[in-house]
């Protein structure tokens, strides 16, 4: 327990030998140091998680994430340690607040940076679903754009194909109707266009010959349609339209699993809006409050140091600093006095030496 306390005291940036003299101050700086340590720990997790998506797909992605996470966590720990330890409790309240203001702003920035990757992990499932919708819409838009460009490029051929298809369909419908009339004539069904006499008479023969001719014409049209369709399919293959398909569920899962940090960060921002474009207040508030939680957690050591009263440790530190300043001033006086005396001695010695030289001449 003593080692843990010393570690957290170190994290709080105190002078451990001085703090040990005042047991009533131990818990306060234990709590401040623990808060700073866990902030650094969250920063390490956040930085490592973010870096994992930067190098995702690389065999060394985990190693890069661990290395960067540790470095980032230590950097934040050291920065928080400095922020808290640099607040002078010997100063007046207004001066302390003035000292803390830029440190609080820096703590807010650090909190925002730390919170974002952790928010990505918290809303991981929702982000994946939003990415699937985005990827699917982008693919659909890409296919529509390719089809539109293809239609403009081969406008004449597509118009011809549409026209021939319409003729073929119209002829098929007419032949089907005439075939039914022929059957009515043969089987003696009385209509406005049939005689009602059963048998294969002259009218039926003439009608059947007409049908055979029209069926030949239909075969010719069908053959032309197939040629035009083959040409269009070849052009689509050449222009890449046939290779573009809407993503399947497995493909979407694969794409979301390898999505980078930028895509996931964009999707997290989009969670604040419903698919219809309106603001999703519940999700937006959830994301905001999670971010504010980490910001508050980052600022907490500064607030604790500001709110805490000036204790015996602070008095002792002030006395030590005053003594050290006094000692430094005395050292300065000592060096100045010694330098002046040495200078005077050098001058006297040099004057004497030169006088002797003049006398000897």
């Amino acid at each position: 327990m003593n080692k843990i306390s010393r570690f957290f005291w170190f994290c709080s940036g105190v002078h451990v030998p001085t703090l040990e003299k005042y047991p009533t101050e131990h818990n306060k700086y234990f709590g401040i140091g623990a808060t700073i340590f866990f902030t650094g720990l969250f920063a390490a997790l956040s930085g490592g998680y973010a870096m994992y998506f930067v190098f995702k797909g690389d065999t060394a992605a985990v190693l890069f994430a661990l290395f960067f996470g540790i470095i980032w966590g230590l950097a934040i720990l050291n920065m928080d340690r400095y922020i808290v330890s640099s607040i002078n409790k010997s100063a007046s309240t207004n001066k302390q607040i003035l000292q803390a203001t830029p440190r609080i702003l820096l703590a807010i920035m650090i909190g925002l940076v730390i919170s974002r990757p952790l928010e990505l992990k918290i809303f991981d499932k929702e982000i994946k679903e939003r990415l699937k919708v985005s990827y699917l819409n982008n693919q659909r838009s890409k296919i529509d754009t390719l089809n539109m460009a293809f239609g403009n490029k081969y406008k004449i051929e597509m118009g011809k194909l549409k026209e021939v298809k319409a003729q073929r369909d119209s002829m098929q419908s007419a032949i089907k109707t005439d075939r039914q009339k022929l059957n009515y004539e043969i089987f003696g069904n009385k209509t406005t266009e049939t005689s009602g006499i059963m048998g294969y008479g002259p009218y039926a023969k003439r009608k059947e010959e007409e049908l055979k001719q029209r069926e030949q014409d239909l075969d010719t049209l069908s053959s032309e349609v197939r040629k035009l369709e083959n040409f269009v399919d070849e052009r689509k293959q050449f222009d890449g339209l046939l290779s573009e398909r809407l993503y399947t569920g497995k493909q979407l899962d694969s794409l979301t699993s390898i999505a980078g940090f930028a895509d996931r960060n964009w999707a997290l921002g989009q969670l604040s809006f419903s698919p219809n474009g309106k603001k999703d207040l519940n999700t937006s508030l959830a994301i905001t409050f999670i971010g504010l939680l980490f910001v508050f957690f980052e600022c907490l050591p500064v607030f604790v140091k500001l709110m805490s009263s000036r204790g015996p440790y602070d008095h002792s530190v002030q006395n030590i600093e005053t003594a050290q300043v006094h000692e430094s001033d005395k050292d300065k006086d000592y060096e100045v006095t010694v330098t002046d005396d040495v200078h005077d001695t050098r001058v006297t010695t040099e004057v004497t030496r030169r006088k002797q030289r003049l006398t000897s001449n």
Side-chain angles (χ1 to χ4, degrees):
M1 189 64 189
N2 187 44
K3 290 182 179 180
I4 296 176
S5 296
R6 283 177 165 273
F7 174 72
F8 286 143
W9 291 343
F10 168 79
C11 292
S12 67
V14 299
H15 186 248
V16 176
T18 303
L19 181 64
E20 287 181 327
K21 300 176 184 178
Y22 308 103
T24 56
E25 297 280 79
H26 289 182
N27 288 336
K28 178 173 73 174
Y29 287 99
F30 182 95
I32 293 175
T35 305
I36 293 174
F37 169 76
F38 284 109
T39 302
L41 180 62
F42 283 131
L45 294 173
S46 173
Y49 184 72
M51 194 55 57
Y52 174 74
F53 283 101
V54 174
F55 291 98
K56 196 169 185 180
D58 195 307
T59 53
V62 176
L63 294 177
F64 281 126
L66 287 174
F67 176 76
F68 181 82
I70 292 172
I71 297 298
W72 180 243
L74 290 175
I76 297 300
L77 175 65
N78 181 66
M79 194 174 298
D80 285 344
R81 186 171 177 267
Y82 166 74
I83 289 174
V84 173
S85 63
S86 62
I87 297 176
N88 184 9
K89 293 298 296 181
S90 301
S92 63
T93 302
N94 291 335
K95 190 172 182 180
Q96 288 184 45
I97 295 174
L98 188 63
Q99 288 177 341
T101 299
R103 292 163 174 78
I104 292 174
L105 294 176
L106 181 59
I108 291 173
M109 293 178 62
I110 294 173
L112 292 174
V113 172
I114 291 175
S115 65
R116 198 61 174 180
L118 296 178
E119 289 172 357
L120 293 177
K121 183 59 180 176
I122 294 171
F123 293 97
D124 184 61
K125 292 182 179 179
E126 292 79 3
I127 288 172
K128 286 183 177 179
E129 292 301 319
R130 186 55 62 96
L131 283 175
K132 287 180 181 179
V133 174
S134 175
Y135 290 153
L136 196 61
N137 289 337
N138 289 341
Q139 183 68 3
R140 184 180 290 112
S141 177
K142 181 180 179 181
I143 292 174
D144 291 343
T145 301
L146 287 173
N147 285 328
M148 186 179 297
F150 182 85
N152 293 331
K153 185 176 180 180
Y154 298 99
K155 187 175 182 179
I156 297 176
E157 290 80 357
M158 295 295 290
K160 180 66 175 176
L161 176 59
K162 185 178 181 180
E163 180 183 349
V164 175
K165 277 186 174 181
Q167 292 177 1
R168 181 198 62 184
D169 295 341
S170 177
M171 187 172 291
Q172 282 180 337
S173 178
I175 289 174
K176 183 177 180 181
T177 301
D178 289 343
R179 176 66 66 183
Q180 188 177 27
K181 291 178 181 178
L182 177 60
N183 291 334
Y184 285 166
E185 178 66 27
I186 294 173
F187 292 103
N189 293 331
K190 178 64 177 175
T191 66
T192 57
E193 298 182 4
T194 58
S195 62
I197 301 173
M198 184 180 293
Y200 193 71
Y203 178 79
K205 289 181 180 180
R206 186 174 71 254
K207 203 69 175 174
E208 187 173 23
E209 290 177 358
E210 291 178 358
L211 280 173
K212 287 181 179 179
Q213 182 60 45
R214 297 184 69 180
E215 286 175 346
Q216 291 177 0
D217 295 339
L218 178 62
D219 290 339
T220 302
L221 277 176
S222 298
S223 177
E224 187 175 356
V225 168
R226 285 193 295 271
K227 288 180 181 179
L228 289 171
E229 287 178 340
N230 290 335
F231 172 79
V232 170
D233 289 341
E234 289 176 358
R235 293 295 89 193
K236 284 184 177 181
Q237 182 68 35
F238 180 79
D239 290 351
L241 265 71
L242 298 181
S243 60
E244 295 293 340
R245 293 286 186 274
L246 288 177
Y247 294 128
T248 62
K250 290 184 177 180
Q251 288 175 321
L252 288 172
D253 290 336
S254 177
L255 287 171
T256 53
S257 66
I258 62 173
F261 184 83
D263 284 350
R264 296 174 65 82
N265 187 55
W266 172 86
L268 178 60
Q270 293 299 308
L271 290 180
S272 299
F273 299 92
S274 302
N276 58 9
K278 293 184 178 179
K279 189 79 171 180
D280 187 347
L281 187 60
N282 292 330
T283 306
S284 178
L285 288 176
I287 296 173
T288 301
F289 283 132
I290 290 173
L292 291 176
L293 175 64
F294 284 101
V295 169
F296 174 76
F297 193 77
E298 175 66 26
C299 296
L300 188 59
V302 180
F303 293 148
V304 171
K305 188 70 178 288
L306 283 175
M307 291 185 297
S308 62
S309 60
R310 188 182 180 204
Y313 169 77
D314 299 304
H315 283 280
S316 181
V317 169
Q318 183 185 12
N319 292 335
I320 292 172
E321 290 177 348
T322 302
Q324 288 175 344
V325 170
H326 181 72
E327 182 181 1
S328 176
D329 290 339
K330 290 301 180 182
D331 288 341
K332 172 192 171 184
D333 294 339
Y334 167 79
E335 293 295 336
V336 169
T337 303
V338 170
T339 302
D340 289 341
D341 289 344
V342 169
H343 177 71
D344 292 341
T345 302
R346 288 175 61 191
V347 170
T348 303
T349 303
E350 182 64 21
V351 169
T352 303
R353 186 180 63 82
R354 291 188 181 185
K355 284 181 178 181
Q356 290 175 352
R357 185 185 303 171
L358 289 171
T359 304
S360 62
N361 290 336

